Amino acid sequence: MSKAVRALVRRAGAARRDAGMVTSEYAMGIVAAVAFAVVLYKVVTSGQVSAELQGIVKQALDGHM
């Protein structure tokens, strides 16, 4: 077997071994995004922030064009 063929076979084997890492990285990204969304939801639905957001929306709807 030539050196070029052996190098290609080695690269193909390495690519197959690393294929699982991509899936786990996506999974960790999704978990982090969901955790951030939960924290953001808790902040937005808290009493003070909710009142401020309602005030902003009410002010925007009461505006004259």
Side-chain angles (χ1 to χ4, degrees):
M1 219 187 263
S2 72
K3 289 182 182 180
V5 172
R6 276 188 244 145
L8 285 173
V9 169
R10 261 187 267 130
R11 283 189 209 141
R16 273 188 244 120
R17 285 192 301 268
D18 290 341
M21 290 300 293
V22 173
T23 303
S24 65
E25 288 169 359
Y26 280 122
M28 290 303 296
I30 290 170
V31 168
V34 168
F36 180 72
V38 168
V39 170
L40 185 61
Y41 176 77
K42 291 289 187 181
V43 168
V44 170
T45 57
S46 69
Q48 185 177 2
V49 174
S50 181
E52 288 293 326
L53 288 173
Q54 286 177 359
I56 291 169
V57 170
K58 184 177 180 183
Q59 184 181 6
L61 293 175
D62 289 341
H64 297 290
M65 295 192 110

